[in-house]
Amino acid sequence: MRLNLACYLLALASCLQTATAQNASEKIRLNQLGFYPNGPKIAIITEPVKGEFHITAPGDDKKLFTGTLEGPQVSSLSGKQTWVADFSSFQKNGTYVVSIPSLGSSYPFQIKADVHQELARATLKSYYHQRMSTDQPETYAGKWHRPLSHPDKVVYVHSSAADKRRPKDSIISSPGGWYDAGDYNKYIVNSGITTGTMLSLYEDFPDFFNQLQMNIPERDNGIPDLLDEVNWNLQWMLTMQDPADGGVYHKCTTAQFEGFIKPENANDKRYVVQKSTQAALDFAAVMAQAARVFSRFEAELPGLSDRCLQAARKAWNWAAGNPAVLYEQDKMNLLHDPDIVTGAYAGGDLTDEFIWAAMELYVATGEENYFRAVSLFPNEYISLQEWNEVRTMGYLTLLRHQDKLGDIASKPLQYLRNMFLAFADGMVMSAARQAYLTPMEADARNFLWGSNAVCANQGMALIYAFRLSGKRDYLHFAIDNLDYLLGRNATGYSYVTGYGHKTPMFPHHRPSATDDIPEPVPGLLAGGPNPEQQDGCQTYPSKIPDESYTDDACSYASNEVAINWNAPLVYLTFALELLMNE
């Protein structure tokens, strides 16, 4: 009888919380998962209000905390006003809502030490769901299980990639890797920054990841599961290097994007396409970093570290001998058949790729010729890392290993530390004046294709600023950006599938759109607001930069997912979990 009563009470509590979520005021925006006891706790109100707000339990009128609403704040993007409910001093663990007498209550949220732990694991597990060339049994994939797809054991050499040894339509094997985004192709450039970010997470927090176990097939092989996931993509990347000369094919792709069909039914002819300097350098950087990381696991993966370092050197040498072989898809299509019209990931100025590759090779080998091979500071500013701006990836590696570098790097490192902290200060300078109090809003230019990755990468950079300076404000600004991604924003969405009360249900993601399961694969970060609206989708509610988002599968400009967007979110969520609980 007691057990039945307990079950009844548990069910009743669940129903009350669900009802509260369904009736929550959309005008109260906050992190829909919750907050750390010792961290900032902010809700933003989008309706003119004055007076008090309260923290209560869901479905309960008892006031556990009372604060005064502040504002208005004015959006630099839309001119709209917001008001602030700050309850940072309330630290008691539990499940709560923000209650405002004239508006109602917010979505329920938690206050607890490991409030983002499940989210962090889900963002990492999303890469397992993106694996190709393997089946995904229910044991590991849950209801999103699927059969083997895209084995890629028969991949044709496109005429743009052909030479005497590998003529047009000769066949190579290129299995493994992750689906790049909502499509079914694999791109070296985008895999580069993605894999580099994941390896950086391991290098920054190795003790934690040596213990973390995920529900993936390799979980008991003696290798950290984060690195098992990385290795799935790394093994594919190695197949993309021409063993004869060290050059690297730009991508493994169909000629056109395959339609919205199940992955196992997508059987279009696949190609490796043209070698490029950009691909070779991104490949060299990742392989040098992987050589460093996997050298710790020689017994479990004999020879992998040496293989990666050898591949990195060969790719660097090819790029040094071919410093301006650009991937120009339209020009390529004038000369070669069939036309390739999938993602180009093309770069023009390759200065940043040379810097990243050189620094990874220098740190991996200690050989100063790599450090001297580039001008470390081609200009006097730092740019946020992204697939076509990877110089900062090299800087982060230098900062991560600064205590182990030779004298040649000592003066540049001091300059870099100062420059990096100035860069971080620039990101947060006007956050307190923004409508949602986040660094993300400070510049309308942040709202581009993949704007949510800009937000996550800012958070990652702010984590580094905290670790360099010890100033906890940087850590709190990083939390502000995570709060933005999880609901404290102008759309009210938590942009991660499956996490939050209002989340994307129709991402531009072929596996999710074709699997007959109502919920999309969890842990995927939607691209986010993008006022350019390149997809022509008709369901956008606004062209205001931070409101230009639609939860519609047609919206590849705002609602697609991508491995390089998820990677900084994986970094940000795990890093905050670890640093906020030290």
Side-chain angles (χ1 to χ4, degrees):
M1 183 63 183
R2 288 181 180 176
L3 181 60
N4 290 338
L5 178 60
C7 290
Y8 168 76
L9 292 174
L10 184 62
L12 179 61
S14 177
C15 288
L16 284 172
Q17 184 163 335
T18 300
T20 303
Q22 290 173 344
N23 297 324
S25 173
E26 287 283 334
K27 296 174 182 177
I28 304 174
R29 310 282 172 82
L30 43 57
N31 181 326
Q32 294 171 22
L33 298 187
F35 306 92
Y36 297 105
N38 60 340
K41 304 173 192 70
I42 300 289
I44 298 295
I45 320 304
T46 63
E47 184 83 2
V49 284
K50 294 180 180 179
E52 294 180 341
F53 71 92
H54 312 288
I55 304 298
T56 69
D60 191 339
D61 293 333
K62 183 179 179 181
K63 299 171 184 177
L64 304 174
F65 176 89
T66 297
T68 302
L69 291 161
E70 301 174 359
Q73 304 283 113
V74 180
S75 171
S76 60
L77 302 169
S78 67
K80 295 179 180 180
Q81 294 183 331
T82 61
W83 285 258
V84 180
D86 186 340
F87 51 105
S88 300
S89 60
F90 184 69
Q91 298 188 350
K92 185 177 180 181
N93 283 13
T95 300
Y96 306 102
V97 295
V98 173
S99 178
I100 298 173
S102 61
L103 293 181
S105 298
S106 69
Y107 293 120
F109 60 85
Q110 291 186 301
I111 295 177
K112 63 177 184 177
D114 57 353
V115 68
H116 297 118
Q117 182 183 92
E118 290 184 18
L119 170 69
R121 294 176 66 91
T123 60
L124 176 55
K125 182 64 179 287
S126 73
Y127 287 89
Y128 173 76
H129 291 292
Q130 291 288 88
R131 287 188 188 187
M132 54 198 306
S133 310
T134 183
D135 64 329
Q136 303 234 320
E138 189 171 1
T139 301
Y140 305 111
K143 62 184 175 183
W144 296 278
H145 61 90
R146 54 180 169 84
L148 184 147
S149 60
H150 293 97
D152 279 349
K153 291 183 179 179
V154 177
V155 176
Y156 294 87
V157 175
H158 189 258
S159 62
S160 65
D163 57 25
K164 291 182 179 179
R165 195 182 62 86
R166 287 182 167 177
K168 177 184 177 181
D169 283 337
S170 57
I171 294 173
I172 68 169
S173 180
S174 189
W178 303 307
Y179 291 128
D180 175 73
D183 62 300
Y184 292 143
N185 300 310
K186 301 180 283 193
Y187 308 86
I188 284 291
V189 169
N190 214 38
S191 273
I193 188 169
T194 302
T195 310
T197 300
M198 304 280 269
L199 287 167
S200 298
L201 178 60
Y202 179 81
E203 286 198 283
D204 285 335
F205 304 101
D207 292 342
F208 173 80
F209 285 102
N210 285 340
Q211 303 299 319
L212 179 70
Q213 282 199 314
M214 300 290 292
N215 184 29
I216 59 175
E218 303 87 354
R219 64 178 299 168
D220 294 318
N221 65 356
I223 299 165
D225 287 352
L226 170 63
L227 297 185
D228 280 323
E229 195 57 65
V230 166
N231 192 36
W232 186 266
N233 198 63
L234 198 70
Q235 292 298 320
W236 164 69
M237 292 181 73
L238 286 165
T239 71
M240 294 290 284
Q241 183 173 48
D242 185 339
D245 63 9
V248 179
Y249 302 115
H250 199 77
K251 56 182 173 177
C252 176
T253 181
T254 48
Q256 300 184 26
F257 288 112
E258 291 174 284
F260 272 71
I261 56 177
K262 292 179 182 291
E264 61 268 25
N265 296 332
N267 299 311
D268 285 1
K269 189 174 181 179
R270 294 170 71 81
Y271 301 89
V272 288
V273 180
Q274 187 201 313
K275 298 170 189 172
S276 73
T277 308
Q278 185 182 15
L281 291 168
D282 287 344
F283 176 97
V286 167
M287 291 301 158
Q289 188 178 15
R292 260 193 334 262
V293 170
F294 283 98
S295 66
R296 310 178 189 190
F297 303 98
E298 182 63 26
E300 293 82 5
L301 292 168
L304 177 59
S305 176
D306 289 344
R307 184 186 177 195
C308 288
L309 185 56
Q310 182 181 23
R313 291 184 187 276
K314 290 183 68 174
W316 170 267
N317 291 338
W318 187 93
N322 300 273
V325 180
L326 303 180
Y327 185 76
E328 299 174 294
Q329 193 158 274
D330 291 342
K331 289 183 179 180
M332 181 188 76
N333 286 337
L334 295 175
L335 302 173
H336 300 279
D337 291 318
D339 285 1
I340 303 293
V341 297
T342 54
Y345 287 112
D349 182 355
L350 303 182
T351 301
D352 57 310
E353 283 87 356
F354 271 104
I355 291 172
W356 184 26
M359 293 309 102
E360 296 294 354
L361 277 159
Y362 165 62
V363 174
T365 66
E367 296 171 14
E368 294 183 355
N369 58 297
Y370 290 116
F371 193 90
R372 294 192 178 98
V374 295
S375 172
L376 190 57
F377 304 112
N379 49 51
E380 296 182 358
Y381 63 88
I382 291 179
S383 299
L384 197 67
Q385 65 273 18
E386 54 181 316
W387 68 262
N388 59 350
E389 181 54 72
V390 293
R391 175 166 49 116
T392 300
M393 295 293 287
Y395 292 164
L396 295 180
T397 287
L398 292 177
L399 293 171
R400 186 181 310 122
H401 295 281
Q402 57 185 300
D403 295 336
K404 304 174 185 177
L405 303 182
D407 291 341
I408 192 174
S410 58
K411 288 184 178 179
L413 269 171
Q414 184 58 52
Y415 179 72
L416 174 58
R417 283 192 292 267
N418 294 336
M419 190 165 64
F420 192 87
L421 290 175
F423 164 61
D425 289 340
M427 275 192 288
V428 304
M429 186 179 301
S430 66
R433 299 195 300 271
Q434 302 305 320
Y436 292 87
L437 302 182
T438 68
M440 177 62 184
E441 303 167 84
D443 192 335
R445 291 173 295 182
N446 291 336
F447 293 90
L448 39 69
W449 203 326
S451 63
N452 283 340
V454 174
C455 185
N457 273 311
Q458 284 183 339
M460 179 177 168
L462 291 166
I463 296 291
Y464 273 85
F466 164 70
R467 299 189 81 193
L468 279 174
S469 68
K471 294 181 179 178
R472 207 160 182 84
D473 283 353
Y474 290 124
L475 201 57
H476 289 177
F477 280 119
I479 291 174
D480 287 331
N481 266 15
L482 183 58
D483 286 352
Y484 168 92
L485 293 174
L486 297 176
R488 199 176 102 199
N489 58 58
T491 70
Y493 273 93
S494 172
Y495 289 117
V496 185
T497 55
Y499 285 82
H501 301 281
K502 181 183 178 182
T503 65
M505 292 297 292
F506 307 101
H508 185 92
H509 181 239
R510 283 163 176 78
S512 291
T514 60
D515 62 8
D516 304 320
I517 298 168
E519 302 87 2
V521 169
L524 298 170
L525 180 66
N530 174 11
E532 292 298 316
Q533 301 179 5
Q534 294 94 333
D535 45 54
C537 198
Q538 299 299 307
T539 55
Y540 285 93
S542 172
K543 292 210 74 166
I544 294 171
D546 60 347
E547 297 178 13
S548 184
Y549 169 79
T550 180
D551 182 20
D552 193 321
C554 76
S555 179
Y556 54 80
S558 80
N559 209 32
E560 190 168 16
V561 302
I563 55 173
N564 66 309
W565 300 342
N566 250 67
L569 180 62
V570 175
Y571 189 102
L572 178 59
T573 50
F574 273 114
L576 286 176
E577 279 291 292
L578 294 168
L579 296 172
M580 289 299 294
N581 290 302
E582 283 185 336

